[in-house]
Amino acid sequence: MNSNEVKQALQKSITQFINAYKTEKSLSTSWKLPIVGFADTGSAYISSLREIVSPTHYMPQDFLSDCTVIISYFLPFDTEIGQSNNGNTEPSSTWVTAYHETNQMFLEINKHLTQLIERWGFHAVSPQPVGMIDAEHIYSNWSQRHIAYAAGLGTFGVNNMLITEAGTCGRFYSLITDIPVEPDCPLKEERCLYKRSRVCGLCVRRCPIHALDTEKAFDRIACASRLEGFERRLGADVCGKCTIQLPCTYHNPAKGL
């Protein structure tokens, strides 16, 4: 199979799995169609993640020595989930539930995809553990968004979210494999309207604690502190306020420009 055929097969498999899993587990969360891309494990961008993200960032070869690509996929939330998180200063219960249910489901999706890939005669490894963050090191050791960028799924907005064809409202995950397919490349054209032409910037105004600024660096410490508070009180380190009611929430705002 060529890369497009593999993508279609993976998208179909993920969609079928989600439908069955949602029914079996009686989940309340709903998702739109997944988006799939391939990041080249030998690319200069992947090799530089320890400089771009963190010195402790894992390399895909740490998990699978002869890997060829990282499968990155995005599960966009249904519009109602994003709408539920509009207003107030704390994440909605619907948003928190979507975060929990999606994260738990990701592990099962990767097990399912690993079995599929093994039936094709190849290997796949789910990178675990990922996202190890503490008070002294507020960086991900496996950045799903940077992997997704390398896989051509989108470009970063001012809010540090990746803008896909289905917007930013959803979750990313990944799987490392040795399938010999043609990888995707990072997109060259910016999708963030502010980065394109200095219009919009709504995400900056949406942040309740002013951690975002178009002229200054992202206040990572303030954001992390806010998320820690939600983790203690709500059981999830989620917020999402800077992703809601934006031109990029559910769509690629630069499409057609």
Side-chain angles (χ1 to χ4, degrees), residues 160-172:
N160 301 309
M161 298 296 108
L162 202 72
I163 304 171
T164 73
E165 279 298 310
T168 62
C169 190
R171 301 285 290 161
F172 294 93

Side-chain angles (χ1 to χ4, degrees), residues 124-138:
V125 177
S126 184
Q128 294 291 337
V130 298
M132 296 187 295
I133 301 173
D134 57 43
E136 301 300 322
H137 185 77
I138 312 174

Side-chain angles (χ1 to χ4, degrees), residues 99-111:
Y99 178 91
H100 275 308
E101 291 185 343
T102 307
N103 282 1
Q104 292 169 358
M105 183 176 67
F106 272 141
L107 302 177
E108 301 306 317
I109 291 175
N110 270 13
K111 290 179 183 178

Side-chain angles (χ1 to χ4, degrees), residues 70-135:
I70 307 168
I71 301 168
S72 177
Y73 57 99
F74 179 64
L75 302 187
F77 291 146
D78 266 2
T79 304
E80 291 75 11
I81 294 173
Q83 291 174 338
S84 78
N85 201 32
N86 182 39
N88 301 318
T89 59
E90 297 199 351
S92 69
S93 59
T94 299
W95 187 267
V96 172
T97 297
Y99 178 91
H100 275 308
E101 291 185 343
T102 307
N103 282 1
Q104 292 169 358
M105 183 176 67
F106 272 141
L107 302 177
E108 301 306 317
I109 291 175
N110 270 13
K111 290 179 183 178
H112 172 73
L113 293 180
T114 296
Q115 294 173 353
L116 173 65
I117 290 169
E118 288 176 346
R119 289 198 298 271
W120 290 347
F122 303 102
H123 304 90
V125 177
S126 184
Q128 294 291 337
V130 298
M132 296 187 295
I133 301 173
D134 57 43

Side-chain angles (χ1 to χ4, degrees), residues 216-230:
K216 301 177 184 178
F218 167 53
D219 191 341
R220 188 178 299 275
I221 295 175
C223 183
S225 177
R226 175 176 169 81
L227 296 182
E228 284 178 16
F230 290 150

